[in-house]
């Protein structure tokens, strides 16, 4: 009996977890209720709820999917430079983090969590040799960084486990304390609420058939029964998309007067466009990448694409590389091995630009034909590993030595001519 009661009490004390969508719906229901002041009536934007905004969805999708498609290589430093390592356990763990996740899914999860919640987590499980054998994807709401008084960082999971810092991949966004990123949605919640309000306004406007609000004027006083009947009839005839552009029959000298502001006067369209640009600014994504082509031209789109890689993607990639180097590699391997993202596919430009670059690099002997073919995903051919330079190019030192030899040769020729002249005169 005591065991049965203890189970009941334990069940009653068990924490009930709700999804972020249920939490958002509950908050919005409270904010929009009549018991709340009008000043607080506004949509509450949660991290997952922000995906309902098309611009946020586009920015998060572009960032996460672009990083997910980039190859990650493990390199080994050598005396001649570096070489790619393929049979290392850390190289394998990124290709297959666990039984249900691929490399793309791992990077995609970390980026989505970071761009929405400001933090992306993946727990590292190791073997007896301290090698990573599995990466467990963690939801940002299930992990909380804990900074101790002795300047140590741990991670507390939703199960109450304390995970050391070296066993947690942590992709951190913009942070003010150095160990936990700030959610872009939480920081810009009021800005995003304006976007959601404009979206709701447009939805209500078109759901009402594009009819504007107004007042009905009656020359005399209506009795209560006549007022109720007239109100219900007018609402039934004028409200709703199916009643759009349906003429009203007014009786008894009643007239209609429009009092609301048209959408063009309220800058509805301009607000929608401006908010899209605002969201792109929050994430650092070029506007043309989220279908905002108002100021885009054929000349600047390519340069904006380069800037997207350099100033938007690069900070995320550097953070990921540093996390992989610090926490996937052992201390005796750190510095000798390192991870690096391959960006050649994003930075190579159009066909004309690439051909000019390859030609110049080949003419100065910096790249071989096979190296160029490798960048273009083409197979190598025999003899393509030779370096070539132009025949009419030489070093400054070689040119100086050649001039010295030429001067000496001229002097020798002059002396020889003088001696031949003297010899001919003597013969005469």
């Amino acid at each position: 009996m005591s065991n049965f009661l203890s189970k009941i009490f334990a069940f009653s004390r068990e924490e009930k977890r709700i999804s972020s969508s249920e939490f958002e719906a509950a908050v919005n229901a409270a904010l929009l209720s009549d018991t709340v002041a009008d000043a607080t009536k506004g949509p509450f934007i949660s991290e997952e709820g922000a995906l309902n905004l098309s611009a946020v969805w586009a920015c998060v999708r572009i960032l996460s999917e672009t990083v997910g498609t980039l190859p990650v290589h493990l390199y080994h430093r050598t005396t001649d430079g570096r070489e790619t390592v393929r049979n290392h356990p850390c190289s394998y763990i990124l290709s297959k983090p666990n039984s249900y996740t691929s490399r793309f899914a791992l990077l995609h999860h970390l980026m989505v969590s970071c761009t929405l919640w400001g933090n992306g987590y993946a727990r590292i499980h190791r073997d007896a040799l301290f090698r990573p054998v599995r990466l467990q994807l963690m939801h940002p709401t299930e992990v909380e960084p804990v900074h101790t008084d002795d300047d140590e960082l741990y991670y507390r999971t939703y199960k109450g486990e304390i995970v050391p810092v070296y066993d947690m991949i942590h992709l951190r966004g913009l942070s003010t304390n150095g160990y936990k990123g700030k959610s872009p949605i939480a920081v810009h919640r009021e800005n995003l609420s304006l976007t959601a309000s404009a979206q709701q306004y447009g939805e209500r406007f078109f759901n009402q058939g594009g009819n504007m609000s107004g007042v009905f004027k009656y020359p005399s006083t209506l009795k209560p029964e006549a007022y109720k009947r007239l109100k219900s009839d007018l609402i039934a005839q004028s409200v709703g998309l199916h009643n759009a552009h349906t003429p009203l029959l007014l009786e008894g000298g009643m007239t209609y007067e429009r009092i609301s502001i048209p959408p063009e006067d309220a800058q509805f369209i301009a607000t929608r466009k401006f908010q899209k640009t605002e969201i792109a600014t929050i994430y650092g994504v070029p506007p043309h990448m989220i279908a905002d082509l108002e100021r885009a031209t054929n000349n600047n789109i390519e340069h904006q694409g380069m800037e997207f890689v350099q100033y938007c993607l690069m900070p995320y990639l550097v953070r990921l590389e540093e996390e992989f180097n610090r926490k996937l590699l052992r201390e005796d391997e750190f510095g000798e091995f390192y991870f690096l993202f391959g960006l050649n596919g994003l930075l190579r430009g159009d066909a004309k630009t690439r051909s000019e670059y390859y030609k110049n690099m080949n003419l100065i002997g910096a790249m071989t034909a096979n190296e160029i073919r490798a960048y273009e995903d083409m197979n190598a051919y025999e003899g393509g590993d030779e370096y070539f330079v132009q025949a009419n190019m030489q070093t400054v030192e070689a040119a100086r030595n050649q001039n010295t030899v030429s001067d000496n040769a001229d002097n020798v020729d002059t002396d020889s001519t003088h001696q031949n002249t003297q010899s001919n005169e003597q013969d005469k």
Side-chain angles (χ1 to χ4, degrees):
M1 184 66 178
S2 59
N3 292 336
F4 178 75
L5 292 177
S6 62
K7 291 181 179 180
I8 293 179
F9 292 145
F11 179 79
S12 62
R13 292 193 302 268
E14 187 175 326
E15 180 182 0
K16 181 182 179 182
R17 301 182 62 83
I18 62 173
S19 63
S20 59
S21 59
E22 294 176 340
F23 174 75
E24 180 184 2
V27 172
N28 286 331
L31 291 177
L32 299 177
S33 62
D34 294 336
T35 59
V36 183
D38 291 339
T40 63
K41 285 187 178 181
F44 176 83
I45 307 298
S46 66
E47 281 73 12
E48 288 191 11
L51 293 175
N52 294 328
L53 304 176
S54 60
V56 175
W57 174 278
C59 291
V60 173
R61 180 187 61 80
I62 289 172
L63 290 172
S64 59
E65 292 183 355
T66 303
V67 173
T69 57
L70 294 177
V72 187
H73 303 292
L74 179 62
Y75 291 102
H76 178 224
R77 300 182 191 273
T78 62
T79 55
D80 297 330
R82 67 184 184 185
E83 60 180 3
T84 305
V85 181
R86 303 186 185 277
N87 56 355
H88 196 279
C90 293
S91 178
Y92 175 79
I93 195 66
L94 286 184
S95 300
K96 188 179 180 181
N98 51 53
S99 60
Y100 60 89
T101 305
S102 62
R103 176 191 57 83
F104 176 90
L106 170 67
L107 298 176
H108 184 267
H109 164 78
L110 293 174
M111 285 298 299
V112 170
S113 301
C114 184
T115 52
L116 289 179
W117 283 271
N119 301 275
Y121 300 102
R123 185 175 179 179
I124 306 173
H125 295 269
R126 306 179 186 272
D127 58 10
L129 299 177
F130 208 68
R131 297 282 192 187
V133 295
R134 183 168 64 92
L135 298 181
Q136 178 186 357
L137 306 185
M138 305 288 292
H139 197 274
T141 59
E142 298 176 348
V143 183
E144 180 64 26
V146 179
H147 188 256
T148 61
D149 295 336
D150 54 353
D151 200 22
E152 293 291 337
L153 184 63
Y154 297 91
Y155 296 93
R156 183 176 61 244
T157 67
Y158 70 103
K159 295 182 179 180
E161 300 174 295
I162 301 298
V163 181
V165 64
Y166 51 79
D167 280 341
M168 185 72 73
I169 297 293
H170 182 191
L171 177 58
R172 184 187 306 109
L174 183 65
S175 175
T176 55
N177 55 19
Y179 62 88
K180 183 178 181 180
K182 300 184 73 67
S183 167
I185 307 302
V187 173
H188 300 279
R189 183 162 285 142
E190 293 184 0
N191 196 347
L192 298 176
S193 296
L194 176 59
T195 306
S197 298
Q199 184 170 300
Q200 291 179 1
Y201 173 80
E203 179 184 3
R204 293 176 182 176
F205 172 73
F206 289 107
N207 281 342
Q208 293 177 0
N211 293 328
M212 306 306 300
S213 301
V215 295
F216 293 91
K217 294 183 177 181
Y218 191 72
S220 61
T221 304
L222 290 173
K223 293 182 179 180
E225 294 79 8
Y227 174 79
K228 291 181 181 179
R229 181 185 64 82
L230 181 60
K231 182 179 179 180
S232 60
D233 291 344
L234 289 175
I235 292 178
Q237 294 178 26
S238 60
V239 176
L241 186 60
H242 58 284
N243 290 323
H245 310 294
T246 301
L248 294 176
L249 298 178
L250 304 180
E251 54 183 326
M254 182 177 294
T255 58
Y256 173 76
E257 180 179 346
R258 176 179 294 178
I259 62 172
S260 57
I261 303 176
E264 58 270 19
D265 294 340
Q267 297 295 319
F268 171 69
I269 302 299
T271 300
R272 295 277 288 169
K273 290 182 179 180
F274 179 74
Q275 287 304 113
K276 177 180 287 189
T277 306
E278 282 283 285
I279 294 174
T281 303
I282 293 173
Y283 286 102
V285 176
H288 76 272
M289 301 188 72
I290 59 172
D292 186 3
L293 302 176
E294 187 173 358
R295 298 184 180 180
T297 64
N298 293 331
N299 296 328
N300 64 13
I301 279 185
E302 181 180 353
H303 294 285
Q304 289 184 26
M306 300 293 184
E307 293 176 355
F308 168 70
V309 176
Q310 297 173 357
Y311 305 118
C312 182
L313 285 185
M314 191 61 70
Y316 291 104
L317 301 181
V318 172
R319 294 176 190 136
L320 287 171
E321 291 170 353
E322 292 180 348
E323 284 292 294
F324 294 158
N325 292 335
R326 293 174 55 245
K327 298 178 180 179
L328 293 182
L329 299 173
R330 300 188 307 190
E331 290 188 3
D332 58 337
E333 300 172 334
F334 187 73
E336 183 179 358
F337 295 86
Y338 63 94
F339 289 93
L340 190 67
F341 280 90
L343 298 177
N344 294 327
L346 293 178
L347 293 175
R348 63 184 185 179
D350 57 12
K352 181 180 179 181
T353 305
R354 297 200 311 273
S355 63
E356 292 178 355
Y357 169 74
Y358 293 149
K359 179 181 178 181
N360 293 332
M361 295 296 285
N362 183 257
L363 289 178
I364 64 175
M367 294 179 65
T368 66
N370 283 342
E371 290 174 339
I372 295 174
R373 293 174 66 87
Y375 281 121
E376 294 296 319
D377 295 328
M378 301 171 66
N379 295 330
Y381 66 90
E382 186 177 356
D385 294 325
E386 295 291 337
Y387 291 93
F388 295 92
V389 294
Q390 296 185 39
N392 59 349
M393 294 182 63
Q394 57 182 340
T395 63
V396 175
E397 183 178 0
R400 186 184 301 111
N401 294 334
Q402 185 175 359
N403 292 333
T404 303
V405 172
S406 178
D407 293 339
N408 293 333
D410 293 340
N411 293 334
V412 171
D413 292 340
T414 302
D415 295 340
S416 177
T417 302
H418 181 67
Q419 291 176 359
N420 292 333
T421 302
Q422 291 179 349
S423 177
N424 292 334
E425 291 177 354
Q426 293 176 358
D427 292 339
K428 291 180 180 180

